[in-house]
Amino acid sequence: MLNTEESALFDINAKLFDTHAHYDDAKFDEDRDEILQSLQASGVEYIVDVGCSFDTMEKASALSEKYDFVYASAGIHPNDAADADARGEEALQIIRSYLNKPKTVAIGELGLDYYWDDCPRDVQKKWFELQLQLAEETGYPVIIHDRDAHGDTMEILRRHPKVKGILHSFSGSPEMADELIKMGWYISFSGVLTFKNAAKLPEVAKRVPLDRMLIETDAPYLAPHPHRGKRNDSELMKYTALKLAEIKGLTYAEVCAITMENAKRVYNIK
Ligand code: NI
């Protein structure tokens, strides 16, 4: 949360859409409701809570039922792909059952994680493909997690040209972003954009078309500067919006309005 002095830095009339958060995480057990109840008054208009394991799909769905402004996704994270594989066909049935709920707006997060490598890569790839097929069949947008796996992620996405969605907390090169944009994808920026060692991200942000950029927290992770290392929440995303505004030569309020419209479009929220 921001203190009073910090809050004054941001236009309170500008509304934010946090396209990717994990309020189901245990790090919010002590004050989850307190935080969620305070967010709308501080300018956070919508949140998508990403359910990406069997446990968190249920928690994300419950949060979306409890709070009007919270939506949910359902899918299997690459770090949980072995768990899904052990359940086989039942795992896909579970994801489908959440997709049938009115406030589930996307499949994900799914993809590849070669940083943690928690799960054999062939199993990660298998569940990446299976969920892309589910997206092809159902028409839902997907949320992609790609950590240190850019080459294989692109190779698999190229095989599924009909699937569209979001590259969450994008960490690839400007050239990779260019290709994804051409393929119809959205690029989402987390607090990493504000880090001093953000590497090529500012260049990516410079090149991404206005109608394809999104912002997110990935809360409780990836808090933006000057809160780096602390628990993240959707209000802190104002710093990410401000950084994006600076890079694009826009005002903070313009970035909020543009990313709000983009998020509603990609998630089909009226
Ligand atoms: Ni996430």
Side-chain angles (χ1 to χ4, degrees), residues 20-22 50 52 77 109 143 145 168-169 216-219 221-222:
H20 191 120
H22 301 274
V50 174
C52 51
H77 193 285
E109 55 189 293
I143 303 165
H145 173 103
H168 128 73
S169 191
E216 64 170 278
T217 54
D218 205 19
Y221 310 104
L222 306 180

Side-chain angles (χ1 to χ4, degrees), residues 38-93:
S38 74
L39 285 175
Q40 279 191 297
S42 54
V44 179
E45 185 132 285
Y46 295 104
I47 294 167
V48 169
D49 196 272
V50 174
C52 51
S53 65
F54 297 103
D55 175 42
T56 60
M57 274 188 252
E58 178 53 34
K59 289 178 174 162
S61 176
L63 286 174
S64 75
E65 280 167 18
K66 185 166 182 184
Y67 293 99
D68 271 355
F69 74 110
V70 176
Y71 290 80
S73 75
I76 296 295
H77 193 285
N79 295 346
D80 290 285
D83 188 16
D85 211 45
R87 297 185 191 224
E89 183 60 28
E90 185 210 350
L92 285 169
Q93 292 308 331

Side-chain angles (χ1 to χ4, degrees), residues 1-19:
M1 311 296 286
L2 301 177
N3 63 36
T4 319
E5 208 173 294
E6 288 181 287
S7 299
L9 296 170
F10 304 98
D11 179 353
I12 190 65
N13 295 313
K15 305 298 179 196
L16 295 148
F17 193 133
D18 184 352
T19 61

